[in-house]
Structures are given as C-alpha cells and as structure tokens.
Amino acid sequence: MTHSGTVSAVRKRTAEFGGMPAGAMLAQHCVGLVVACNDDGFTIASGSQRVRGRRAVSCLLEPCVGDTVAGLLVAPEELWVVAVLQREDGVAHVLRCHGPTRLQVDGGALTLDARELAVAAGNFSVHAATARFAVDDTQWIGQKLHFIGSTVKFVGAVFSTVFERVAHFSKSHVRTTEGIDRVQAMHIECEAEQLARISGQHLLLNGQDLVKARGGQIHFG
C-alpha cells in the first residue's frame, strides 16, 4: 500500500470508529508494554488491550520485549511507537534506521565518548584533510595492507619486521647507521653494474676454506 493509500485508510478508519469527519486525523496517546516483536512490528499491551504497532521513523531506538513505550493510536488496530520510555538494565540499546542515513553537524564538532567503540562494515571509508591518531597500543590485522603516499616517515625507538620474503626497489637508497650494521645469511651476493667499493680504516677478509680474487688487473698497495 502506498503512503497516500495508507493515509486514506487511516482517515476512513478514524471516521468510522471515532465519528470524526473523514478529513480529520486524530490520534490517541497511550502507554503500553511490548510483549512481542517480529519483522512485521510489535505487540503492545496497554491495559486490557493488545494492539499491533510499528516503530515511527523518529523513534531511532529499536523497542524490544519488556520495554515501556509511548504510542499514538491512529486506529483501533494501528499504533505507532514514538518513544521508548523505560527499559530493563542489561538490555542492549540498538539505534536502527532503514535506508541511506547520514549524521550531519553544521558549524560544530561531533564527539563520540565510550569505553569501547567498535565499527563493523563491509566497506569503511574516511575522508579528511588532516587525520591524527593517538593510542597507547595499536594492532592492524588483515590479509592485505597498502600505504600509498608521496612522503612516508616512521620515527620510533625500535623497528622490527618479520616477513617470509622482502622485495625493495628504489631509484636511490641511502642508509646511515651509527652503530653496528650486521647482515647474517646463508648466501650474500652484492652486484654493481659499474663500481663496487668497500672502504674503512681496517678491512678484514676471512675465508675459512678459500679466498679468491679474479680480474683483468689486480692491484694491491
């Protein structure tokens, strides 16, 4: 049934049961207890009556069994739940909206304050000119992680990585270490297209079984 058809039906039922003209839409306020919930709506017990009801769009809090709610009775068998007045302790609060929803704040700031905050979504996007995260302990878990930017900088006391395979490509690579720079591997291979140079105040070459130097010319001293 379309919205216009629903309005026409409500006007007709109001005229039939309330004796009011068809053009007037009157509603009766009531308070009741939610005794049943399903996909079609709610069953509200108010006094000796039980009425089927639906949640009004403005009532964002999803009613559940045991809630005391305020409603508008627009027809003998049609009630709109406009607010949840009371709920037992320990029952989760669920804010529910149907269809595309946007929370917009004009000329101010939006602050979320909670002991725990969780976000679950199929796709999650954040667009901002500046983003800042300040946490004591953070952990990222995922199958794929991509960082793309013109400038990436990491500053810290300890940097540790564990990978099965590492591939690095850059047009220029400069590394400076004040202390020890040590590489340990089963096989180390360094290759340069034009010049390979190792210099230091002292140079030690140690081969347990073999030390070999080969070239067109070999100069010592």
Side-chain angles (χ1 to χ4, degrees):
M1 181 180 293
T2 62
H3 176 71
S4 59
T6 303
V7 172
S8 299
V10 171
R11 289 177 175 176
K12 182 178 179 181
R13 286 195 294 267
T14 304
E16 292 176 354
F17 292 94
M20 299 299 297
M25 295 183 61
L26 298 181
Q28 180 181 356
H29 292 273
C30 66
V31 175
L33 184 68
V34 180
V35 295
C37 300
N38 53 37
D39 296 337
D40 297 331
F42 312 92
T43 301
I44 312 298
S46 179
S48 60
Q49 297 182 351
R50 290 201 174 195
V51 184
R52 291 291 300 170
R54 289 181 292 173
R55 181 171 57 93
V57 176
S58 61
C59 183
L60 300 181
L61 183 61
E62 182 75 10
C64 62
V65 176
D67 288 352
T68 301
V69 297
L72 289 176
L73 188 64
V74 297
E77 296 297 331
E78 185 171 355
L79 181 140
W80 290 95
V81 178
V82 296
V84 177
L85 303 179
Q86 186 176 5
R87 171 169 292 179
E88 296 180 357
D89 296 336
V91 180
H93 300 285
V94 178
L95 302 181
R96 186 182 302 276
C97 296
H98 296 283
T101 304
R102 182 178 65 182
L103 180 61
Q104 181 173 341
V105 178
D106 295 328
L110 176 63
T111 302
L112 300 178
D113 188 358
R115 186 180 62 181
E116 295 184 6
L117 179 64
V119 178
N123 294 289
F124 181 70
S125 300
V126 176
H127 299 276
T130 302
R132 180 176 298 174
F133 298 91
V135 294
D136 293 334
D137 188 7
T138 181
Q139 186 176 21
W140 298 80
I141 300 176
Q143 294 182 353
K144 294 182 180 181
L145 183 61
H146 298 270
F147 284 100
I148 301 175
S150 58
T151 302
V152 179
K153 184 176 181 180
F154 293 97
V155 179
V158 179
F159 183 69
S160 177
T161 60
V162 179
F163 294 99
E164 292 184 0
R165 184 174 180 270
V166 177
H168 173 79
F169 172 79
S170 62
K171 292 184 177 181
S172 177
H173 185 199
V174 179
R175 184 176 66 185
T176 302
T177 303
E178 294 182 354
I180 298 176
D181 190 353
R182 185 171 184 268
V183 179
Q184 181 178 354
M186 182 177 296
H187 179 80
I188 297 178
E189 181 176 336
C190 297
E191 181 179 352
E193 293 182 357
Q194 294 182 358
L195 176 65
R197 177 183 177 184
I198 300 177
S199 63
Q201 185 176 359
H202 303 285
L203 179 62
L204 303 177
L205 297 176
N206 182 17
Q208 183 175 355
D209 297 328
L210 176 65
V211 176
K212 182 178 181 181
R214 182 175 59 183
Q217 294 183 4
I218 298 177
H219 299 269
F220 289 99

